[in-house]
Amino acid sequence: MCDAFEVQTIITSIREKPILTRRRILFLCLYAPWRLNGGALIRNYWMVRGLARDFDVDVVIAEDPGEAAPPEFARDCASITTFAAPSGIGARIGRASESLLPRESYFTAGQTPGALRRHVAAAVARTRYAAIHIDDLPIQAAIPARDCPPVVYASHNCEYALFHRRAELERPPLRQFLLFDAERVRRIETALAR
């Protein structure tokens, strides 16, 4: 038999932890999807809105768009968090140095702010996500190395082939650099596909 205090404690616990909760998706993108001025942005806009039918969607954007999301898009999102994109000479130097890391390439490096990476790591640590959706290869730098939910990569999935073709059109020494970077991009895409 429970006393009144125990009954009140159980009721409070039930109110604090809903029995039925929607699963969550962490949606990472380089640019604000609501701008609708490019194929990837249009895809992301409708992808978020479609996912919101069945999931709570936390959108994290690697730029500060300088404008609020339109009400119909914001209404579909559990949260929208933006970060100022790296810029200036410091960003160019940072991109060049980051491109030397084994998990990066020149194409992918330097486009994901450190604050965004820390935000994503903290969000994944405190929230049980069904998946992380990334819209473009450079945002892969924000994927946490530990305790990471499944990752959905929804881009071309063949960036390396596009870079390889482009490299073939160039003259040395740019050709060699682009071929080298295309192979690094291939390794990043392969790792995401696993």
Side-chain angles (χ1 to χ4, degrees), residues 102-125:
R103 69 180 193 286
E104 292 287 359
S105 71
Y106 186 74
F107 171 71
T108 62
Q111 299 181 56
T112 306
L116 183 146
R117 295 176 198 200
R118 290 185 296 277
H119 172 82
V120 168
V124 168

Side-chain angles (χ1 to χ4, degrees), residues 7-23:
V7 170
Q8 186 59 41
T9 303
I10 292 168
I11 291 170
T12 301
S13 175
I14 290 170
R15 284 185 185 147
E16 290 174 358
K17 297 178 186 174
I19 295 170
L20 299 174
T21 59
R22 287 168 42 113
R23 294 174 15 156

Side-chain angles (χ1 to χ4, degrees), residues 124 132 143-151:
V124 168
I132 296 176
I143 298 170
R146 297 171 49 187
D147 303 320
C148 187
V151 175

Side-chain angles (χ1 to χ4, degrees), residues 46-182:
W46 290 108
M47 181 87 65
V48 168
R49 299 213 49 208
L51 286 168
R53 293 181 191 146
D54 297 313
F55 297 91
D56 288 335
V57 183
D58 294 320
V59 178
V60 179
I61 304 168
E63 73 162 340
D64 182 1
E67 62 200 42
E72 71 279 359
F73 185 84
R75 200 173 31 251
D76 286 341
C77 299
S79 68
I80 299 173
T81 309
T82 62
F83 293 87
S87 62
I89 188 73
R92 288 194 291 272
I93 293 169
R95 181 176 185 184
S97 62
E98 193 175 296
S99 72
L100 300 174
L101 296 172
R103 69 180 193 286
E104 292 287 359
S105 71
Y106 186 74
F107 171 71
T108 62
Q111 299 181 56
T112 306
L116 183 146
R117 295 176 198 200
R118 290 185 296 277
H119 172 82
V120 168
V124 168
R126 75 174 174 269
T127 305
R128 186 174 176 173
Y129 285 103
I132 296 176
H133 177 283
I134 64 172
D135 80 321
D136 207 352
L137 199 55
I139 201 91
Q140 60 83 32
I143 298 170
R146 297 171 49 187
D147 303 320
C148 187
V151 175
V152 177
Y153 172 46
S155 193
H156 298 121
N157 297 335
C158 65
E159 296 291 347
Y160 79 93
L162 298 173
F163 291 136
H164 193 275
R165 282 188 208 154
R166 176 65 193 173
E168 294 298 328
L169 300 174
E170 297 295 339
R171 293 187 190 153
L174 183 57
R175 175 183 290 171
Q176 284 73 20
F177 171 75
L178 292 176
L179 287 170
F180 174 74
D181 206 48

